[in-house]
Amino acid sequence: MSSDCLFCKIIRGEIPSKKVAETEHAFAFEDINPQAPKHILVIHKTHTESLATTSDNNLLAEVFGAARDIAAQAGLSNYRLVVNNGPEAGQTVFHLHVHLLAGRPFTWPPG
Ligand code: 5GP
Ligand code: ZN
């Protein structure tokens, strides 16, 4: 836990969020500024800044596995998972998170 991290505050309930799912290790909630009809953020309960700064592959498996399970439980078979790593890639919150996007067609390459 990091005291000044926005997503750690959301996990602790200090900042309200629309919770979608919670497991022993993961927490999922609706993005405040959705980029698709369904836009869920999946985070690990352990604070880690970014994909590149974690060497804990179990943590990655837990957060990606949670994203997969949430998609399956929502009946989704077409969706996109996004991890922005670093400011120039679009990362604005420095608590590792997977974006789960669904409900519209997606183009390639991404912007
Ligand atoms: P990033 O740009 O770091 O990949 O993604 C951060 C995401 O967090 C953005 O999609 C943004 O809309 C979302 N976000 C930022 N602040 C809040 C908040 O207070 N609550 C929720 N639910 N989402 C937030
Ligand atoms: Zn955090």
Side-chain angles (χ1 to χ4, degrees), residues 10-11 17-23 25-31 39-45 63 66-67 70 98 100:
I10 284 178
I11 293 167
S17 70
K18 291 186 180 168
K19 184 166 102 174
V20 173
E22 184 172 3
T23 68
H25 298 294
F27 190 88
F29 56 102
E30 292 180 10
D31 196 292
H39 186 170
I40 295 165
L41 299 172
V42 186
I43 62 180
H44 202 279
K45 289 181 177 175
V63 73
I70 290 163
V98 175
L100 168 58

Side-chain angles (χ1 to χ4, degrees), residues 6-7 29-33 41 84 90-93 97 99:
L6 174 65
F7 286 176
F29 56 102
E30 292 180 10
D31 196 292
I32 204 167
N33 182 23
L41 299 172
N84 295 322
Q91 186 174 6
T92 59
V93 178
H97 50 281
H99 297 259

